[in-house]
Amino acid sequence: MYFTLGSFIVLMGLMSLLWWRYHILCMLLSLEVMLMGVFLELGMIVGKEFNESSILFIFLSLIVCESSLGLGLLVGLSRSHSMDMIFYIWGLE
């Protein structure tokens, strides 16, 4: 049950990542949703098979580091270009 729920969450995150590919904030949120789905799957697998929770804490700390790095890049990009739309920043309009 949880394995399919985690896979569904990852697929929905991938679909939203492809749908909102020009807006950086929505892309970051989609990546977070995908990582939470992977965390759910990993938690169920590790909980059933290995009974080891330290791997989950390490993975959760990596998720937090990735999100803080992404938000830092978003703030830097917004301050330098006054927007967070990739379409306009790369001059594709």
Side-chain angles (χ1 to χ4, degrees):
M1 171 67 184
Y2 290 107
F3 185 73
T4 57
L5 179 64
S7 300
F8 180 72
I9 291 172
V10 170
L11 286 176
M12 288 296 109
L14 183 64
M15 293 286 291
S16 66
L17 182 71
L18 293 174
W19 183 263
W20 296 104
R21 66 184 176 267
Y22 293 123
H23 198 275
I24 296 175
L25 184 61
C26 291
M27 286 174 50
L28 288 174
L29 288 172
S30 300
L31 286 173
E32 289 299 317
V33 167
M34 289 171 57
L35 286 174
M36 284 297 126
V38 171
F39 181 72
L40 180 66
E41 287 183 17
L42 187 66
M44 290 300 117
I45 291 171
V46 167
K48 288 180 185 176
E49 302 278 330
F50 304 114
N51 201 12
E52 183 71 33
S53 62
S54 63
I55 297 171
L56 295 176
F57 290 124
I58 293 170
F59 187 71
L60 193 59
S61 66
L62 288 175
I63 290 173
V64 169
C65 291
E66 180 264 338
S67 65
S68 65
L69 179 67
L71 285 175
L73 289 173
L74 177 68
V75 167
L77 187 67
S78 294
R79 288 188 179 181
S80 66
H81 293 297
S82 301
M83 65 182 70
D84 63 341
M85 299 288 288
I86 295 175
F87 194 76
Y88 298 114
I89 291 171
W90 288 345
L92 297 175
E93 184 181 69

